[in-house]
Amino acid sequence: MMSSRSGRRTPGHPSGRGTPGHPSTPGHPSGRSTPGYLEDDAPPPASVRLQLGALQALCRQTVAVRLAMVVIGAPFALAHAPHGAPRYAALAAAVLGVMGCYAVLRDWERVGPRLLAHPTLMALDLLFVATLLLTASPASPLAYATVCTPLLSGLLYGWRGAGVITGLQLAVLLTGFRAWHNHPGAGTSTLLVAGFCIAAGIIGVTLRNLLFRFGAAGEALSEANARLAAAEAVESERARLAREMHDSVAKTLHGLALAADALAASADHCDPETLQRQATLVAGAARRAAAESRDLLSDLRRRTDFTTAHLDVAAELGVRTREFAGRTGLEVELKVPDAPLLLPHTTAHHALAITAEALENIHRHARATRVRVELDVTGTAAFDLRIGDDGAGLPPDAAPEELARTGHFGLLGMVERAASLGGRLRLGRSPLGGAGIHLRVPLPTTAPHAPQEEAAHA
């Protein structure tokens, strides 16, 4: 409902004009107010909807407090008022106060914006205050209902607006004291009400500034969190692309380069059949690299939600291991459950990518002759994937971070894939004597069933 310093009109502020609570500091290059509770008002944040809602709620509560004070104080004021016209005048002022407060409280959504746009309407409130003081005296309990005026002005207009209205209130209070100076306790009550008025004005402005400062701090925190989230999303996507490139195109291109080198080295002294076979390997590797590039680009452009799609990991492992055995000539032993293991597309993709990277590392570095791949499901909680060989084993310093520093990112990518699934990847010795990799991943709740359950029903 309040207008911002940029001059934009905000909802609930029909005139679009600045309020007394938003003054500019003279000489300040930007025209904004200087922070400080006693120097000037806190500038409203760029997005003030929540703060304005809380501010309007405080204003309504202020009006409700005045209504309660008038209702409670009216019987005491009438009991101590002289008979005749003074009592009727006090009764009329109390009735007028109850009706006015109720009307403002009921229609605050319309009254509040008009008070913001036209601070001169507070003159009507000062007129009501004067009526209470002149008819019921400053010593009457009704006089304490006048304290709500500076509180309301502080909430609405800030330091300058509250200072002007509180000053006028004190002038009205002094006038009431002069009219009732002969009444017992008038002087003491006047000083007490005056002190309450000043304190209420300060409290109102302080609450207003606290709301805006908390709003600005919350907005800055939200922006910082949004920037951090965006940076984390970019970093996560970069890491994902690096893993996909390493596990697909980069790996295939490396094999293509080795095959091309072998073809070039044997071009002078090999028979045509050998050259034809090696050229076929190069062509196949090139086609595989092109296909993997297309798959990667398609994945980047895909808009399909795979949260409901499932893959049979056991069957896919069979296909991958047979293809690996036929390509490398290594003996591969595969052990999987009899029943299918259906997993969401993302989970299955990462598990299969870890398997492919582990097999490729065995082929390149392990000097192994046998490979064992085991898939096991532990109840309905998790599944375990173990890949081992009978090769040379891992070097003593085979840590993902250390290997990544030397340009070997395969193991680091495997660890990151396992972490993205909420699982864990452990390195160790294989029962065959070489290196062993153990992947343990919690079963997603979206998995249709566990293999044991399906086997039990079969």
Side-chain angles (χ1 to χ4, degrees):
M1 294 184 206
M2 291 189 180
S3 63
S4 64
R5 291 183 184 274
S6 61
R8 295 178 299 173
R9 295 179 63 178
T10 54
H13 198 316
S15 68
R17 298 179 298 177
T19 65
H22 299 162
S24 297
T25 303
H28 196 279
S30 64
R32 288 185 176 272
S33 60
T34 303
Y37 288 104
L38 297 177
E39 296 175 12
D40 207 342
D41 296 323
S47 177
V48 295
R49 183 178 299 274
L50 182 61
Q51 288 72 37
L52 286 179
L55 190 64
Q56 297 302 320
L58 286 176
C59 292
R60 293 192 65 168
Q61 292 298 322
T62 301
V63 177
V65 169
R66 167 175 282 181
L67 176 60
M69 293 177 70
V70 172
V71 171
I72 294 173
F76 296 96
L78 294 177
H80 293 85
H83 294 283
R87 176 171 294 184
Y88 290 118
L91 177 61
V95 173
L96 177 64
V98 170
M99 295 176 61
C101 291
Y102 175 75
V104 171
L105 186 63
R106 184 191 60 184
D107 297 328
W108 179 256
E109 287 76 9
R110 290 186 292 179
V111 175
R114 285 174 173 77
L115 286 176
L116 284 170
H118 306 286
T120 53
L121 291 176
M122 289 297 294
L124 297 176
D125 195 83
L126 290 173
L127 180 61
F128 166 69
V129 168
T131 303
L132 282 181
L133 293 174
L134 292 176
T135 56
S137 83
S140 171
L142 288 177
Y144 291 94
T146 62
V147 175
C148 296
T149 299
L151 178 59
L152 187 62
S153 63
L155 291 172
L156 291 175
Y157 308 123
W159 285 115
R160 297 185 183 180
V164 171
I165 294 175
T166 302
L168 295 176
Q169 172 105 341
L170 294 178
V172 172
L173 187 61
L174 180 60
T175 302
F177 167 71
R178 289 180 177 178
W180 292 87
H181 67 280
N182 292 326
H183 190 275
T188 303
S189 298
T190 300
L191 290 176
L192 191 59
V193 173
F196 284 155
C197 289
I198 295 174
I202 294 173
I203 292 173
V205 179
T206 303
L207 289 175
R208 177 183 183 275
N209 288 348
L210 282 175
L211 283 174
F212 284 148
R213 280 188 168 86
F214 284 152
E219 188 176 71
L221 181 61
S222 298
E223 292 176 356
N225 288 336
R227 288 194 295 269
L228 287 176
E232 290 177 358
V234 171
E235 190 65 25
S236 175
E237 184 63 15
R238 290 178 60 184
R240 187 188 74 83
L241 289 176
R243 289 194 301 268
E244 297 297 337
M245 291 289 293
H246 176 274
D247 294 347
S248 58
V249 181
K251 179 176 60 179
T252 305
L253 289 178
H254 178 73
L256 175 61
L258 294 179
D261 290 339
L263 177 61
S266 60
D268 296 333
H269 56 274
C270 286
D271 58 279
E273 293 183 359
T274 302
L275 290 177
Q276 183 180 7
R277 185 169 58 255
Q278 291 179 344
T280 302
L281 291 176
V282 172
R287 284 192 293 270
R288 189 162 59 253
E292 289 171 348
S293 299
R294 286 194 303 270
D295 292 341
L296 184 59
L297 292 175
S298 299
D299 182 66
L300 291 176
R301 292 181 176 274
R302 187 178 288 121
R303 294 294 183 266
T304 306
D305 184 11
F306 284 108
T307 57
T308 58
H310 292 79
L311 292 178
D312 183 2
V313 176
E316 287 292 327
L317 283 176
V319 174
R320 304 292 177 93
T321 53
R322 285 193 296 272
E323 188 274 335
F324 175 76
R327 177 167 54 88
T328 62
L330 296 177
E331 179 185 348
V332 181
E333 177 185 352
L334 176 64
K335 181 181 179 182
V336 295
D338 295 333
L341 176 60
L342 298 179
L343 295 177
H345 182 276
T346 301
T347 306
H349 171 72
H350 286 303
L352 293 173
I354 291 173
T355 303
E357 179 62 22
L359 293 176
E360 192 63 28
N361 286 340
I362 293 173
H363 172 56
R364 291 184 188 176
H365 310 295
R367 300 188 300 274
T369 59
R370 292 178 58 200
V371 179
R372 179 181 295 171
V373 179
E374 297 181 67
L375 177 65
D376 184 28
V377 179
T378 306
T380 59
F383 71 88
D384 296 271
L385 181 62
R386 297 177 178 87
I387 305 168
D389 60 77
D390 62 349
L394 293 170
D397 57 347
E401 295 78 9
E402 296 296 331
L403 293 175
R405 291 191 185 98
T406 60
H408 299 86
F409 300 99
L411 187 57
L412 178 62
M414 295 163 67
V415 172
E416 290 177 347
R417 288 183 186 276
S420 69
L421 299 176
R424 182 180 179 184
L425 186 76
R426 290 183 294 180
L427 307 177
R429 300 290 296 180
S430 167
L432 298 179
I437 292 177
H438 179 197
L439 172 67
R440 184 177 180 85
V441 177
L443 280 175
T445 56
T446 54
H449 54 266
Q452 287 84 350
E453 295 176 0
E454 182 171 309
H457 292 291

